[in-house]
Structure formats: C-alpha cells, structure tokens
Amino acid sequence: MEAAAPSPLLPRPPYITPELRRFLDVRFRSPADLAAAADVEAEIRGRCAELESSVAELSARLADAAASYASSLEAAGSALRGVRGGLAALEASTGKTGIREDVEVGSEKMLFEQLPPLATDVARVDMVRDYAEMALKLDSLIGDVEDAVSSSVTAKLKSRGQNSEKTHHVAIEYLKKIEDLLASVTRTRPQWTRLISAVDHRVDRSLALLRPQAIVDHRALLSSLGWPPSLAGTQISDSNSGKSAETVNPLFSMKGDLTRKYSESFLSLCSLQELQKRRKARQLQGHNVDNQLRQPLWVIEELVNPLSAAAQHHFSKWVENPEFVFALAFKITRDFVDSMDEILQPLVDKANLVGYSCREEWISGIVITLSTYLAKEIFPKQIELIQESSSTDASSSPSQARVSWLNLVDLMISFDKRTQDLISSTGLLLSVKDDDNWQRISVLSVFCDRPDWLEIWAEIERQEIFDNLKSAMENEKNWSKRIEGAMLEYGSDDYKSPAVTGAVQQGLSLLIDRARPIPSIALRAEFIKGSASPIISEFLGCMFRRCQEAEGLTALADVDALIKVSQSINAARFMESTLTQWCEDVFFLEMENLSLVGEGRSVFQQEINQLKEFRSEWVDKISTVILRGFDGRSRDYLKNKRQWQEHSEEPAISRAIIESSGYMQGRLSKLEVGLNALDFVTLWRAVASGVDQLLFAGIFTGSPKFSNGGVGRLHADLSVLFAVFQAWCLRPEGFFPRLSDGLKLLKVDEKQLGDRMITDKNWLREHGVRHLIAAEAEKIIKNRVYDA
C-alpha cells in the first residue's frame, strides 16, 4: 500500500506579513478550526468587497472634484481672457501715435463709461478665483479628515488592540486647519454662507464618527488603568475629620507606557472639545449665548460617570440615612481632587482649553451626581413624609417631618461649604462667579429645578421661626423690657425698642443666612419673600393688635395706654431701620430689578412701607388725643372774648391756658421718656401745629376786639404756651406761625399803619407776616382798638 502523499507546505514566513500571521493565528488555533476555512474565506472576500467599494467611491469623488476644478479653471480663464482683451483694446485706443488732438468727445465718453463695468468684472473674477481656491482647499482638507476617520475605523475592524490615537491626532489637526479657514471666511467673506454650511455639514459627519471613537478608546484605557477604583472597603465614619484612609487613586499609580497612552488619549479628547467650542463660538457669533458655549469637561465626565455609577450602589442602601450619602460623596471628592491639579490640569492647559479648572470640573461632576440622586430618591420621600404628616391627627408628626427636612437641608449646606472650601483652599476663586457656575458646584441647585420644593422649604423655615417667636411676642415682659446692646447689629441707637424686637431680628437673620447659599439670585429673593416677609407681617399684626387693645380700653386717654402704643411705635421704627440697612448690603442690592421684587425696589420695600404707615398712623393718633385733651381744657378760654378788651397795665396769665399747657406738657414729657427720639420730634411738632391751628381759629373767630391790655394778655398767654416747647427747640414761636403772625399784627403801632393798604404783600413781609393771607391780616388789624 502506498504511503500517503505529504501535505503541501505553507508559504515560508518571509512571505507572510505580521498582520496576516496574527489573523491566521486567531482563526486557526487547532486543526479542528480548518473546518471553518470556508467561512473565513467568505469573511475575507466580504471585507475586500467593502474596501474595493470604498476605493471606487473615493475615485468617483476625486473625479468629480477634478472635473469641478477644471470647470472652474476654464471659466476663470475665459473671464481673464475677456478682461485681457478689453485692456488690450483700451491700450490700443489710447496709445496710438497718430491720434489727433481733436478726438471726438463722444469716443472719450464711451471709453470712460467702460471703466467701471471693467473694474467690476475684474473684482468678480478675483472673487471667483478666491472662492474656487478656498473651495478646493477646504475640499482637500475635508477629504483628508474623512480618509483619516475611515482609516481609523478600518484599523479598529482589523485589530482591536491597535492604538488609534495617532490617527485621531491627524484628523484633529486637519479639523483645526478647516476651522481656521472657516473663521477667516466668516470674517472676510460672510456672504459665502452656502460654502460654510456645506463644509460644516461634512465636518459634523466626521465628528459624529471621530468623537465616539475617541471616547470608546479613552474608556478602554481607563478600564485598563483600573478605573473606577473599588469603593467596597471605603470607610466614611471619620470623613468629616479627614482621618480616614484615602481611596487608592489609579491616576497616581500610572507609569511608563500607560502614562503616555493616557496623556495622548486625554489630549485628543481635550483637543476635540476645544475644537467644538471654537466651532460653536463661530456659528453663534452675534448672539448672547456665552453660557451655552460652556460645557462640562469631557475628560472629567469620563472619570466621574463610572465612579458615580459605582457610588449609586452604596447610596441606595442609605435612603433613610442621607448623612452617609453626603459623607461618601465628600470623601470621593476630596480623595481624588489633588490628582486633578497635579496630573490633569497641565494637560488641559496644553490643549489650550481656556477657562477650565480640573478641580472645579471634578467637584462639579460629583455635585451634579449627588444632586441628581437627591432629586430622584431622597426628596420625593421627604415630600411623601410631609404629606403624610399633614394628613394625620398626631401633633408630633408634622414637627418630625419638618425636622427631617431641615436636617437634610443642613447636610446640603454643610456639603456645599466643604466642597467650596476645597476650591478656595488652593488660593483660587471660582473661574466665573455667576448663578450658572455657582449652581454647578452646589447641591442646593436641586431647588433651581424644583421651585415648588423651595416654597415648601421656605414655609417650613417660616413655621419653625414663628413657633419660637410666638411665645416671645405674647410675653408682656419682652415689651416692657428694652432691647440690650449686645443684640444690636447696626449703630448705637436702639430707638428705645422693646426686647421682643431683638428676638424678631435674630429670627429674620437666621432666615436670611439660610438663603445665602442658594445658588440663584431670583430664588434667594423668592425664599426670603416666602419665609422672612410673613414673619415681619405677623409681627406688624401683633403690634397693631396691641395698639388697638390700648385704644379700645381707654381711647389712649391715660399714660399707660400711650406708653403701650409707644412701645409698638419704637419696635416698628427699629425694624424699619434694620430692614433699610440690610437692604443696602450687596446681598440684597443684587435682588433689585427682579420681577418678583419690582424694578428699583428692595426685597423688603413693601414691609418697610407698611412699618412707616403704621408709625405715622399711631403717632397721628397720639397727637390727636393730646390735642383733644388740650381743646377740652381750653374751650372756656377760647369762648371768653371779653378778656381781649380789658384795660390793665399788667395783664394776668389765664388759668385755663396754664392748665391746658400743663396737661400737654405732662403728656409730652411722659412720651419723651417712652418714645424714640425721631418719632417724638414728629409728635411734638404735630401737636404744636395742631395747637397753632386750634388757638388761632378759636381766638380770632368772631372778630373780637383787642385793646392794648388784651394784646398784652395774649402775649403773656402765648409765652406760657411757647415755654412748654422750649425744652425741645430754641425758637418755639417758629412752630406756631399763625399765632405768631397774628400777635405781630396786633403789636403794630397805629402810626405805622397810616393810610397804607394792609393787603399789600410787601408791607406784610416787612413786618414779618408770612403765614397769613391778606384777608386774615386785614380782619385782625380792623379789630385792633388803640387806646387814646
């Protein structure tokens, strides 16, 4: 029996390329794999067909581009030949030696009229040439980009382990050149919109393939580095003190080739983002969209996302204990933040990504992850707890629900403070301190997306503060005892305010401090309007009820009732002053011009106006009560008209005026002790004005006759009245203008009157009469009786 023929030898190794050897090693690992040779052959034929199709497509595009270039070149050449011919004709017509000096005027005019169209044609030809050159240059660059992207995809299909960072780098460099050309075209030739749009469309198609490839490569590289690190053994019990062991950071453990590969991948993604930022800035040029141009740093997102997914597993176990969630989130933030500065920030700077801080981006990524988890898992349960507590009859349940909510907010505020300390600890402030950037590093941004939750928070804070203030406002000792100096914040004047205002002021300060960390000016104003403003309204209502009680019991006739009203006036003055000075702070000035507040108005403007109206109303009521008492005691004095006709060299002071002035002085002296200085000045001036009107009308009504003795008696009586107010001003007669002018007219000597018209305004001014009209002055002078 003949021996079996030997198998034909395979080609020697020199005839096999390394790529083919790897391909065969993968497909034929054992003799049993030879049965699948037909499938391998079919696969190879399919790939070859795809490559041939791609080559055919590229050949067709190249042919189209060449034809387009030839057509454009022919058109440009034809136009240039026409221009050259026209110029030659022009030169021939003007350069002949035999031209006569008497050239016809019509011919010169015709040649002159041909120059502007000729110049237009030259400019048009230049523009066509520039357009053609730019179009060909951009087409060539885009073709290079598409070839680089296509080769990258093909390399991925051939070998998954091949590093494509160099291919990405080549494509990105071409894209940057294209963007430079498009930026130049946008500045110099903005009318070429179709060319720009066509190029942007083709670039978008290339980027749609290039960016996912770069991200996939970057993720694979991160996975090979061991990212994300395990959180299974993380200890968070001492995270607040900073004594717990830090999590192993793979970024610090990178060495050799891994460091180089990661740096190249990192730079590729950063370069892509920088390119995308430039393209968006160009496309949105002329629009106020600065905030839309800023996106999270892609490379930091690729670090945060897998780590956040790993942390979600731990978060889900601590729904009932949110303090553990915040502790773990802060530990993750703190343990990796140093590597952002030391390793990644230099790479970002190298990629020319201006305005990005890796530290901020890392903190922002963790904060956004935590905010999303709170919005999806924690806050809905808190809302359910509040709704259940509001429907139950148990008195303690609502309080427990509010305490749980406030504890959660305390954790959020504490977390924000510690994360912002991580930013400021490097000596750097936020890159841009506005609402949008602040929201990126604050978990309180949850309320920016859910203003209804902000309303619930404001209501809970208001209820907590009001529950504490209610007993203080009902305690009468807090109204009789004045506010102490240690409780004052602004200036040394306490306006004799009762101690209860100190408690109200502290409660309002707590609410304002709770609003300060909210990362939105509009929401801060809304929180204050929803929490602090109702407290002020409640306090104003309490003061109003106290004043009404005092008025209802004695009609403010006794001193105790006046003192009780004075206490409320002092409290209103102190609160008005405090709110006014608060509103001068930058924190409140930022809230002006908001639609919620009103244009040019402070956030507490409505409450300040209400306090002013309250003070004004009750100061007027006190002055009215004093004037009523003065009127009752001086009524007989005003009815006695004969006293002004008495003849006596030394007139006696009327007992009625002494009694009424003493009553008025007693009331004002008591109020001077109990009422604040500013409102007391308003009060005594109002009383003086009222007495001036009252006595002037009572004395001079009915045309009484005044003898010399009557004038002296009136002077003596008014001196007593003026002496009452001399304790508060140097010239009290100035606050009784009508009585003073009437007395001046009565004292005018008969010789000074003569035959002059009393109604002469100049004459009245000469004698110091400025507050009486001519008719009143004439009436008083006519009733003056001069002794013989």
Side-chain angles (χ1 to χ4, degrees):
M1 189 173 179
E2 296 181 359
S7 301
L9 296 176
L10 293 174
R12 294 294 182 184
Y15 299 95
I16 301 178
T17 62
E19 291 82 3
L20 181 56
R21 178 183 294 277
R22 286 196 296 270
F23 179 80
L24 294 175
D25 288 342
V26 172
R27 295 299 191 275
F28 302 102
R29 297 181 182 274
S30 64
D33 293 336
L34 294 175
D39 296 335
V40 175
E41 181 184 2
E43 180 183 354
I44 293 174
R45 292 184 182 278
R47 291 189 180 182
C48 291
E50 292 178 0
L51 293 175
E52 291 176 356
S53 176
S54 177
V55 170
E57 182 182 355
L58 292 174
S59 299
R61 286 169 49 197
L62 181 60
D64 293 340
S68 175
Y69 175 76
S71 176
S72 302
L73 188 62
E74 183 179 355
S78 176
L80 287 173
R81 285 193 295 272
V83 171
R84 190 179 294 109
L87 291 174
L90 178 61
E91 182 181 3
S93 61
T94 57
K96 284 185 178 182
T97 57
I99 296 179
R100 297 190 306 270
E101 293 182 0
D102 53 347
V103 179
E104 297 181 358
V105 177
S107 177
E108 292 181 356
K109 184 177 181 181
M110 179 183 66
L111 293 175
F112 180 77
E113 290 177 351
Q114 289 178 352
L115 288 176
L118 186 60
T120 302
D121 290 341
V122 172
R124 181 174 60 82
V125 170
D126 287 341
M127 186 179 67
V128 171
R129 183 189 61 189
D130 293 343
Y131 186 91
E133 291 177 354
M134 181 61 69
L136 290 173
K137 190 181 297 184
L138 289 171
D139 184 72
S140 176
L141 289 173
I142 294 176
D144 293 337
V145 171
E146 293 171 344
D147 291 342
V149 174
S150 178
S151 64
S152 176
V153 174
T154 305
K156 278 290 181 183
L157 292 174
K158 287 183 177 180
S159 176
R160 295 184 178 274
Q162 183 175 343
N163 185 7
S164 58
E165 295 305 326
K166 293 183 179 180
T167 309
H168 294 165
H169 179 73
V170 171
I172 292 171
E173 289 301 318
Y174 285 136
L175 288 170
K176 287 183 177 180
K177 293 180 181 178
I178 293 173
E179 183 58 32
D180 291 338
L181 291 175
L182 290 179
S184 175
V185 170
T186 302
R187 290 192 306 270
T188 59
R189 301 287 188 179
Q191 67 273 22
W192 294 355
T193 55
R194 293 186 179 180
L195 175 63
I196 296 173
S197 176
V199 174
D200 278 336
H201 178 67
R202 293 181 64 180
V203 170
D204 286 337
R205 287 192 304 177
S206 298
L207 287 175
L209 295 174
L210 185 60
R211 181 187 172 187
Q213 286 181 29
I215 290 177
V216 169
D217 292 342
H218 191 75
R219 289 176 180 174
L221 187 56
L222 284 175
S223 180
S224 66
L225 292 175
W227 191 275
S230 176
L231 301 176
T234 303
Q235 297 180 1
I236 60 175
S237 57
D238 297 329
S239 62
N240 291 340
S241 61
K243 297 180 180 180
S244 59
E246 293 187 358
T247 308
V248 177
N249 191 343
L251 297 179
F252 281 130
S253 61
M254 288 189 305
K255 294 181 181 179
D257 193 48
L258 275 178
T259 303
R260 179 187 60 79
K261 289 182 179 179
Y262 181 76
S263 299
E264 291 178 355
S265 178
F266 191 98
L267 287 172
S268 294
L269 272 182
C270 287
S271 298
L272 273 176
Q273 185 166 7
E274 191 271 338
L275 173 67
Q276 184 72 6
K277 183 179 179 182
R278 288 178 55 195
R279 295 184 72 239
K280 288 295 182 183
R282 172 179 55 80
Q283 293 169 353
L284 299 176
Q285 189 175 4
H287 300 81
N288 187 17
V289 288
D290 292 339
N291 292 331
Q292 297 181 16
L293 296 178
R294 183 180 179 87
Q295 294 181 337
L297 205 55
W298 296 347
V299 286
I300 301 299
E301 279 188 325
E302 296 305 319
L303 292 173
V304 171
N305 292 339
L307 195 58
S308 300
Q312 292 286 339
H313 172 70
H314 298 278
F315 290 169
S316 62
K317 297 184 296 185
W318 299 327
V319 176
E320 302 298 331
N321 303 99
E323 62 272 14
F324 295 151
V325 174
F326 285 94
L328 178 58
F330 180 73
K331 178 173 174 53
I332 293 173
T333 305
R334 184 195 60 199
D335 289 351
F336 295 97
V337 73
D338 290 336
S339 62
M340 302 298 137
D341 287 338
E342 298 176 16
I343 299 177
L344 304 185
Q345 187 63 47
L347 297 177
V348 172
D349 296 339
K350 186 177 180 180
N352 293 326
L353 265 176
V354 181
Y356 280 97
S357 166
C358 288
R359 177 178 285 260
E360 283 186 28
E361 293 299 321
W362 170 255
I363 294 175
S364 173
I366 301 299
V367 166
I368 291 173
T369 298
L370 181 57
S371 301
T372 303
Y373 178 77
L374 292 176
K376 290 183 178 179
E377 301 295 338
I378 303 298
F379 270 101
K381 294 186 180 297
Q382 292 290 332
I383 297 296
E384 292 178 4
L385 183 61
I386 290 176
Q387 292 175 346
E388 291 175 0
S389 65
S390 61
S391 61
T392 185
D393 296 332
S395 59
S396 61
S397 295
S399 177
Q400 293 176 357
R402 294 201 302 266
V403 169
S404 177
W405 182 286
L406 294 178
N407 287 338
L408 177 60
V409 173
D410 289 339
L411 290 171
M412 297 170 71
I413 294 176
S414 176
F415 180 84
D416 279 353
K417 185 177 184 302
R418 289 191 292 163
T419 53
Q420 290 168 17
D421 287 343
L422 289 178
I423 296 177
S424 58
S425 63
T426 59
L428 300 175
L429 300 176
L430 288 178
S431 56
V432 182
K433 187 66 178 293
D434 56 23
D435 281 359
D436 292 330
N437 283 284
W438 194 358
Q439 290 172 17
R440 293 172 51 245
I441 60 168
S442 172
V443 290
L444 289 173
S445 59
V446 169
F447 296 109
C448 298
D449 299 326
R450 293 299 301 267
D452 54 326
W453 292 353
L454 184 77
E455 293 178 6
I456 295 174
W457 178 24
E459 175 60 25
I460 292 174
E461 294 281 2
R462 184 202 67 79
Q463 189 63 43
E464 287 292 313
I465 295 296
F466 182 71
D467 290 345
N468 296 331
L469 291 177
K470 188 174 181 181
S471 58
M473 287 190 285
E474 293 174 353
N475 189 349
E476 191 63 32
K477 292 182 179 180
N478 291 329
W479 290 93
S480 58
K481 181 181 178 181
R482 289 187 181 178
I483 188 172
E484 298 179 358
M487 304 174 70
L488 299 177
E489 292 186 5
Y490 298 98
S492 59
D493 196 348
D494 61 356
Y495 300 105
K496 301 179 181 179
S497 180
V500 66
T501 54
V504 175
Q505 181 195 48
Q506 289 182 348
L508 294 176
S509 296
L510 290 175
L511 292 175
I512 293 171
D513 289 340
R514 299 287 273 182
R516 292 184 187 276
I518 299 176
S520 168
I521 296 176
L523 292 184
R524 290 198 291 273
E526 186 175 346
F527 179 86
I528 291 174
K529 294 294 289 185
S531 60
S533 294
I535 295 294
I536 301 173
S537 298
E538 290 284 352
F539 186 54
L540 183 60
C542 176
M543 293 188 293
F544 186 75
R545 290 190 295 271
R546 287 178 58 84
C547 292
Q548 282 188 323
E549 290 174 2
E551 184 182 31
L553 291 175
T554 62
L556 303 181
D558 64 347
V559 175
D560 292 339
L562 291 178
I563 295 301
K564 189 173 184 179
V565 174
S566 299
Q567 292 169 350
S568 296
I569 294 175
N570 293 342
R573 167 67 75 172
F574 180 78
M575 292 305 303
E576 177 190 339
S577 175
T578 300
L579 295 178
T580 301
Q581 294 186 52
W582 279 353
C583 291
E584 295 173 357
D585 189 82
V586 175
F587 176 75
F588 290 98
L589 291 177
E590 291 177 337
M591 301 178 190
E592 293 185 1
N593 300 324
L594 294 176
S595 58
L596 176 68
V597 177
E599 185 176 356
R601 291 166 55 90
S602 63
V603 69
F604 289 126
Q605 190 62 52
Q606 181 178 356
E607 289 73 22
I608 292 173
N609 292 339
Q610 291 174 350
L611 291 168
K612 287 181 178 179
E613 292 174 2
F614 172 81
R615 287 190 303 99
S616 176
E617 176 184 355
W618 286 97
V619 168
D620 287 345
K621 286 189 177 184
I622 291 176
S623 64
T624 301
V625 169
I626 295 175
L627 288 173
R628 190 184 302 125
F630 182 88
D631 180 48
R633 288 165 175 77
S634 60
R635 193 166 298 165
D636 294 338
Y637 171 78
L638 297 176
K639 289 181 180 179
N640 186 6
K641 304 294 184 181
R642 294 182 178 181
Q643 61 182 326
W644 312 123
Q645 302 178 20
E646 296 179 357
H647 299 275
S648 60
E649 295 181 358
E650 295 183 1
I653 300 175
S654 173
R655 180 175 298 178
I657 203 68
I658 293 176
E659 180 182 351
S660 56
S661 297
Y663 160 80
M664 181 173 59
Q665 185 178 23
R667 288 292 187 268
L668 290 177
S669 297
K670 292 291 184 179
L671 289 169
E672 183 182 14
V673 176
L675 195 61
N676 69 85
L678 295 179
D679 286 310
F680 178 71
V681 169
T682 303
L683 174 65
W684 73 254
R685 288 184 176 181
V687 172
S689 177
V691 170
D692 182 53
Q693 296 287 345
L694 177 67
L695 292 184
F696 182 85
I699 291 173
F700 295 103
T701 300
S703 301
K705 303 296 182 180
F706 286 88
S707 64
N708 292 343
V711 173
R713 185 181 186 115
L714 179 61
H715 175 76
D717 291 345
L718 293 183
S719 297
V720 173
L721 178 64
F722 294 162
V724 172
F725 295 88
Q726 201 162 9
W728 307 303
C729 60
L730 294 177
R731 294 182 63 258
E733 60 273 11
F735 295 94
F736 298 85
R738 295 175 66 80
L739 284 174
S740 298
D741 284 357
L743 185 61
K744 289 177 182 177
L745 289 174
L746 292 176
K747 288 183 177 182
V748 174
D749 190 83
E750 185 177 10
K751 296 179 180 179
Q752 294 179 338
L753 292 176
D755 297 331
R756 295 187 59 179
M757 295 294 294
I758 300 175
T759 58
D760 186 2
K761 292 182 179 180
N762 293 329
W763 185 89
L764 292 176
R765 289 196 188 97
E766 290 175 1
H767 289 79
V769 179
R770 294 180 175 82
H771 300 90
L772 298 179
I773 61 176
E776 293 173 333
E778 184 178 5
K779 182 179 178 182
I780 293 173
I781 291 297
K782 285 183 178 180
N783 290 319
R784 178 69 167 90
V785 178
Y786 293 94
D787 296 341

